[in-house]
Amino acid sequence: MPRFKLTLEYDGAPFVGWQRQENGLSVQEALEGAIFAMTGERATAHGAGRTDAGVHALGQVAHVDLMREWDAFRLGEGLNAHLVAYPIAILAAEAAGADFDARHSACARHYLYRIVNRRAPLTLDLGRAWRFKPRLDAEAMHEAARALLGRHDFSTFRDAQCQAKSPIRTLDRLDVRRHGDEVLFETSALSFLHRQVRSMVGSLVDVGSGRSSSADLKAALIAADRSRCGQVAPACGLYLARVDYSPLP
């Protein structure tokens, strides 16, 4: 049974998230509908990350098993034709080995969070960034973020409905930088807890706006207590930027 690796970009605003749900249209459902329209097969698309409602992707990865062989380029082009009604694009389609799994074969996931730090309302970035009006101190947030790097119990930044077996995660990167009116958060790990990135960003914004300190953030992490988390950043600013895989031997 041929397996294909699909790299996707999408605007998460119209969707209930990546995963199929009963309360609305998901990215997974739209993609599987396009696969059926093109191939006539009811195939399941397995994603590398289960992005929440309103979360976007610049480089989501999925794998799908089909009954017959397809030229990968033709498959990608055909799926894009059937996805034209949705803000979803197949950036690349590749043949993959039977041992490739979009979720379990990943060795790193990279997320981007965008804040537009200005008083004026958003126009072009409406629904694609968090507008935060008070001036943020990006350097203070970057310095505070260093306390979150490494292997920790991230219960403070874990959503109450998270289904992960353990709150222990290793955070490899969390950089904060300003680019004009934008404040960008870039973070990387093998895996993240449910809403971990948005929880960390929201707590860092509390530091950047002067509502809490770097010491408060570190104490909140050590407490491993969800009630110590600051605000949770809205979904509209979060992007699954890239998923890394080890090169094939």
Side-chain angles (χ1 to χ4, degrees):
M1 182 175 286
R3 177 164 293 187
F4 294 90
K5 174 187 175 185
L6 305 175
T7 304
L8 302 91
E9 173 185 278
Y10 52 81
D11 178 349
F15 302 105
V16 295
W18 162 264
Q19 192 168 11
R20 181 185 293 272
Q21 299 177 47
E22 295 181 356
N23 63 326
L25 181 68
S26 68
V27 178
Q28 182 186 38
E29 185 178 358
L31 176 58
E32 290 171 353
I35 292 169
F36 176 73
M38 181 178 178
T39 69
E41 297 184 36
R42 294 290 185 187
T44 300
H46 303 271
R50 297 175 182 176
T51 53
D52 285 339
V55 174
H56 316 295
L58 303 173
Q60 170 73 283
V61 175
H63 79 260
V64 61
D65 294 327
L66 300 176
M67 295 299 295
R68 55 162 286 194
E69 288 285 355
W70 287 85
D71 175 79
F73 177 78
R74 183 186 169 201
L75 179 64
E77 291 291 287
L79 291 178
N80 278 332
H82 288 288
L83 286 166
V84 69
Y86 306 107
I88 303 173
I90 307 297
L91 302 180
E94 309 164 65
D99 59 345
F100 173 79
D101 185 289
R103 181 182 177 189
H104 298 294
S105 299
C107 59
R109 291 166 174 83
H110 308 273
Y111 281 88
L112 167 70
Y113 196 94
R114 297 179 59 222
I115 291 178
V116 178
N117 192 201
R118 73 184 195 192
R119 297 197 63 82
L122 299 185
T123 54
L124 299 178
D125 283 322
L126 184 64
R128 295 179 177 87
W130 178 15
R131 177 181 64 129
F132 194 86
K133 291 190 287 185
R135 179 75 175 182
L136 290 170
D137 186 337
E139 292 184 4
M141 290 188 287
H142 181 76
E143 184 64 26
R146 294 174 60 186
L148 303 178
L149 296 176
R151 187 172 177 82
H152 303 286
D153 180 334
F154 280 98
S155 291
T156 300
F157 305 100
R158 177 188 192 184
D159 188 83
Q161 298 181 356
C162 180
Q163 297 179 1
K165 294 180 180 179
S166 170
I168 307 298
R169 291 293 184 272
T170 300
L171 191 67
D172 298 314
R173 180 189 183 197
L174 181 51
D175 293 332
V176 187
R177 60 187 174 90
R178 176 176 288 278
H179 181 72
D181 284 341
E182 281 198 62
V183 178
L184 304 174
F185 300 75
E186 295 167 298
T187 186
S188 304
L190 172 60
S191 63
F192 291 88
L193 300 167
H194 188 202
R195 293 188 181 158
Q196 180 183 344
V197 177
R198 289 167 55 193
S199 297
M200 294 189 303
V201 168
S203 293
L204 285 168
V205 165
D206 287 345
V207 174
S209 60
R211 287 185 286 189
S212 66
S213 68
S214 178
D216 292 332
L217 181 73
K218 186 173 183 179
L221 170 68
I222 294 171
D225 179 355
R226 180 63 176 171
S227 68
R228 300 286 295 272
C229 183
Q231 62 184 319
V232 177
C236 61
L238 184 60
Y239 297 75
L240 175 54
R242 192 175 82 249
V243 183
D244 291 344
Y245 298 90
S246 298
L248 295 175

